[in-house]
Amino acid sequence: MSGPDTLGKLPAGHGRLIGSSALAGLALLASWMGYRYGGYYVEGWAPVALAVAALLLALAATGALGKMRSAWSAAAAGLFTGYAAWTFLSLLWSQDLGEAWQGAGLTLLYLLTFWASLSLVANGASRRWVFVALVLGPAVVAAITLSRLVPQAEELFVNGRLLGTTGYFNAEAAFLLLPFWVAIYLAGSRRVNPLLRAASLAAAALCSQLAVLTQSRGAVLALAVSLPVFFLLSGRRLRGAMALLPAAAALAATFPGLNRVYLAGEGAALEEALRRAGPHVWLAVLAAGAWGLGWALLDARWRPSPGVARAAGAAALAAGLLFVAAGGAAFYAREGNPVRWGQERLEAFRSNDASGQEQSRYLSASGSGRLTMWRVAWEDFTRHPVLGVGTHNYEATYYRLREERAGYVRQPHSLPLEVLAERGVVGGALFFGFLGVCLAAGLRRLAGLNAEGRAQLAVAAAAVTYWLVHSGLEWFWQFPAIMMPAMIYLSLLVAPWSRREEDENTRHPGLPLRAAGVGLAVLMLATALPLYVADRYAQQSTAADNPWVALQRLETARRFNPVSSELPLREAELLEQVGDWPGATGAYAEAIRLSPEHYAPYVALAGFYERHGDTANALKLYRRALELNPLEPALQGKIRRLEEASPSSPAPG
């Protein structure tokens, strides 16, 4: 049976079960990517994009997309769709089309995730089911990671910090902590199965302890800012405190041992510190789970009177205030004037002063070069205020415009600045308008919801708050394992909470919306499939022992992705290996044509000329690379060496 009412004509229980399962599956796909470098590489996110496109096609075919509309959800979906369209339009002015194509594909994946989640919730999918999936998925990945820490320490750690399964410290922390308040809500809800309550509390304890190993200061800040959002909006301060207490106690008990892992650094000392800390983490997780199970079983059999509940809530509030006061007093005794302390921290951030990290990285306020990254992004925006420099095209401008070296950088390390720098004021208006509509829709509904609905909305708002704060300091847009859950949380804020709300605000027939859904799904297939096929052939080329076979695979990859600047660089290396020097020169030149503002292709071709004795062309290309990356000492050294060897070569200008 087809048509706009197909889901509505299914038995109510079956329709809700199918929708809830699909939404939970969407969340679990994100966790699967969390185990595969966060979905950062094409091989991780492209298969998921194809699966989400298939889901959207199914929703369009069954008429589910035609039922997702309310005034707020329509506005949010329209603004985000406009942002995705603008991202695709940015291919017209992006210097590096290969990077822009991948960035557009990621944006489309997040849009489809938002659309699918919005329609599933509006059609009756259980919010509680997706909350459980969002919590248990990362917890399973965390448990696997914890079991691998000692045998794979060299792979999972750098300088004593956990890279984890995402391959990046701060992304690992965000992947683990984004569902933290959701886990606290589930652990304290009477409507959740006791075993799931225990598992949720154990998950909160496990993920928060493992996140300590990343030494991510941004994660601490984001968690601190999201805490009052959860407690102020949820209205469940006592239950929230009772769930938070064991997770916090577990973290406090194991923190010294976890911090010693960072201090151990590398090698045998790191493995020994992990070997000592691991059992304590498992024990703390079991204790938190036991607390959750015991509390849930007691909760099912005994309900305190309203007076007792109010008294307990007041006591919990008083205890919290005393804790804050004691913490403030201890801080004042240790650091003195908080205003002066804040000024010192700000100066340390600006100057990248890393003092304090010899005890714990959490005590250091160094900005790790972020101020330079942000300045370049802002300069990109001021130079190109309307259009931006193009999606994922920040990297080349960073090397050209930076005022000090801050290592290898591809993104501005701030989502707001990334949006403005790469998509301009038009993209910024669409994206921030989308966020504003989602948040406003959630906040305006608070007063009209029952206690359970208010708690669910509060945890979605707390999760979004965590994501927004941490994303303001990081580059999470390139990690679908973080971004897809964020899109689900945003959809939960803006989706209709009742059939009455949907019916009152529905103004247009569902057919145009279904057609738009089909169009977006087809665009996702056309975007992700060639990238995925090209990536597979490129991997086969890398794995091939025979250079001729490798070249054949790489040529096929280039046919599917003709705008990538990385593929011709690899092809040039292979052609040089087999002795085809003219072909190699052409491939290097093609890489320069595809990414003309990045210094790296010029360095690659200059190195080729240098290896084959053409110092004049090598020097010319090194000088061009230095123009695009003027603070790179390696380039300065190469140019100085070649100029000394060829004094007849005139210096530029």
Side-chain angles (χ1 to χ4, degrees):
M1 184 179 298
S2 62
D5 297 320
T6 300
L7 289 183
K9 294 180 180 179
L10 289 172
H14 288 80
R16 182 175 174 82
L17 176 63
I18 293 172
S20 300
S21 300
L23 187 55
L26 199 61
L28 292 176
L29 281 175
S31 296
W32 175 80
M33 285 189 293
Y35 193 70
R36 296 177 60 85
Y37 297 101
Y40 177 81
Y41 298 105
V42 171
E43 66 177 14
W45 69 262
V48 172
L50 298 177
V52 177
L55 174 60
L56 200 68
L57 284 173
L59 292 173
T62 57
L65 288 178
K67 298 180 181 179
M68 77 174 185
R69 290 172 291 106
S70 70
W72 290 92
S73 60
L79 285 167
F80 198 15
T81 303
Y83 178 71
W86 183 254
T87 299
F88 272 89
L89 279 176
S90 75
L91 270 68
L92 297 175
W93 58 85
S94 297
Q95 292 291 325
D96 191 324
L97 285 179
E99 289 295 329
W101 185 3
Q102 292 197 43
L106 285 174
T107 302
L108 187 58
L109 168 59
Y110 306 148
L111 175 65
L112 264 62
T113 299
F114 180 78
W115 271 50
S117 179
L118 189 62
S119 64
L120 287 168
V121 173
N123 280 275
S126 169
R127 287 174 166 85
R128 195 174 296 115
W129 275 42
V130 74
F131 281 152
V132 170
L134 287 166
V135 167
L136 295 187
V140 170
V141 175
I144 296 172
T145 303
L146 183 57
S147 68
R148 295 170 49 201
L149 290 184
V150 175
Q152 299 183 22
E154 291 187 4
E155 175 187 344
L156 295 173
F157 284 83
V158 170
N159 296 327
R161 298 180 64 192
L162 178 66
L163 288 171
T165 55
T166 65
Y168 177 53
F169 320 108
N170 294 297
E172 183 75 1
F175 172 69
L176 295 170
L177 292 177
L178 184 58
F180 181 82
W181 296 115
V182 180
I184 296 300
Y185 152 72
L186 292 173
S189 175
R190 293 174 61 94
R191 299 191 182 186
V192 176
N193 181 279
L195 291 177
L196 283 178
R197 290 178 65 175
S200 298
L201 196 49
L206 172 61
C207 290
S208 58
Q209 290 176 87
L210 203 61
V212 170
L213 294 175
T214 67
Q215 295 280 310
S216 171
R217 295 164 300 178
V220 175
L221 176 63
L223 204 61
V225 174
S226 59
L227 182 148
V229 174
F230 171 77
F231 280 100
L232 291 175
L233 297 185
S234 69
R236 294 191 171 186
R237 286 175 283 276
L238 178 58
R239 287 186 170 273
M242 289 182 66
L244 182 60
L245 177 62
L251 184 59
T254 58
F255 181 84
L258 294 171
N259 192 60
R260 279 193 290 271
V261 172
Y262 167 70
L263 299 177
E266 299 178 349
L270 173 65
E271 294 181 9
E272 179 61 24
L274 288 170
R275 196 173 288 109
R276 291 185 178 183
H280 296 287
V281 172
W282 286 119
L283 184 61
V285 170
L286 290 174
W291 169 292
L293 182 59
W295 177 25
L297 293 176
L298 177 64
D299 215 13
R301 291 166 173 78
W302 176 67
R303 185 189 296 269
S305 65
V308 172
R310 283 193 296 271
L317 178 60
L321 292 175
L322 286 174
F323 178 80
V324 172
F331 174 85
Y332 187 82
R334 176 185 173 92
E335 302 291 346
N337 189 323
V339 175
R340 178 178 54 80
W341 178 87
Q343 293 172 341
E344 292 174 350
R345 298 295 93 185
L346 180 59
E347 181 56 34
F349 181 86
R350 290 173 175 169
S351 62
N352 297 317
D353 181 0
S355 59
Q357 66 179 11
E358 63 278 358
Q359 295 177 302
S360 175
R361 193 172 182 275
Y362 293 114
L363 299 178
S364 168
S366 167
S368 302
R370 278 171 175 74
L371 200 58
T372 295
M373 303 174 203
W374 297 347
R375 284 171 176 163
V376 171
W378 184 253
E379 187 169 351
D380 281 341
F381 173 60
T382 56
R383 290 187 178 197
H384 309 275
V386 178
L387 303 179
V389 296
T391 299
H392 282 201
N393 271 233
Y394 164 84
E395 181 182 0
T397 65
Y398 165 77
Y399 290 111
R400 187 175 71 253
L401 300 175
R402 61 181 178 171
E403 297 177 356
E404 59 185 27
R405 298 181 70 243
Y408 178 69
V409 173
R410 299 198 69 183
Q411 297 85 15
H413 285 60
S414 173
L415 179 59
L417 287 173
E418 181 177 340
V419 170
L420 291 174
E422 296 183 350
R423 281 89 161 180
V425 69
V426 176
L430 291 168
F431 183 72
F432 299 126
F434 158 69
L435 294 180
V437 168
C438 291
L439 292 171
L443 291 175
R444 69 180 289 273
R445 290 192 178 104
L446 272 176
L449 296 175
N450 59 24
E452 187 69 11
R454 180 172 180 173
Q456 291 180 351
L457 189 146
V459 295
V464 169
T465 300
Y466 175 94
W467 167 69
L468 284 174
V469 173
H470 206 173
S471 292
L473 305 169
E474 281 300 335
W475 48 284
F476 294 152
W477 194 261
Q478 290 74 24
F479 288 94
I482 298 170
M483 291 302 307
M484 283 181 63
M487 292 301 114
I488 294 174
Y489 290 126
L490 287 166
S491 73
L492 295 177
L493 288 177
V494 78
W497 279 75
S498 67
R499 180 64 60 189
R500 179 173 177 270
E501 177 186 353
E502 178 187 337
D503 291 341
E504 286 180 351
N505 292 288
T506 298
R507 294 289 182 268
H508 305 289
L511 184 59
L513 194 61
R514 294 169 63 187
V518 171
L520 289 174
V522 171
L523 180 60
M524 186 79 265
L525 293 173
T527 302
L529 190 58
L531 287 173
Y532 182 65
V533 174
D535 182 73
R536 296 299 298 172
Y537 276 107
Q539 290 187 37
Q540 292 175 18
S541 173
T542 302
D545 295 327
N546 187 319
W548 295 107
V549 173
L551 274 170
Q552 184 182 34
R553 298 288 187 271
L554 204 58
E555 289 171 359
T556 304
R558 288 193 61 185
R559 282 197 291 272
F560 281 96
N561 185 0
V563 296
S564 169
S565 61
E566 296 178 0
L567 295 179
L569 285 176
R570 170 62 178 156
E571 184 179 26
E573 294 172 359
L574 290 171
L575 288 168
E576 184 178 3
Q577 182 180 342
V578 300
D580 185 354
W581 294 355
T585 304
Y588 280 124
E590 177 68 4
I592 291 175
R593 186 187 69 81
L594 292 170
S595 187
E597 297 299 317
H598 201 293
Y599 77 96
Y602 295 94
V603 173
L605 182 53
F608 171 82
Y609 281 129
E610 185 180 4
R611 287 190 296 274
H612 297 286
D614 189 346
T615 57
N617 275 320
L619 190 57
K620 178 181 177 182
L621 288 162
Y622 279 136
R623 286 170 177 164
R624 175 55 181 157
L626 188 63
E627 292 175 1
L628 298 174
N629 189 2
L631 297 184
E632 180 54 53
L635 284 173
Q636 296 168 357
K638 287 177 180 294
I639 292 173
R640 190 181 308 113
R641 177 171 49 80
L642 288 179
E643 286 177 343
E644 291 172 353
S646 306
S648 60
S649 299

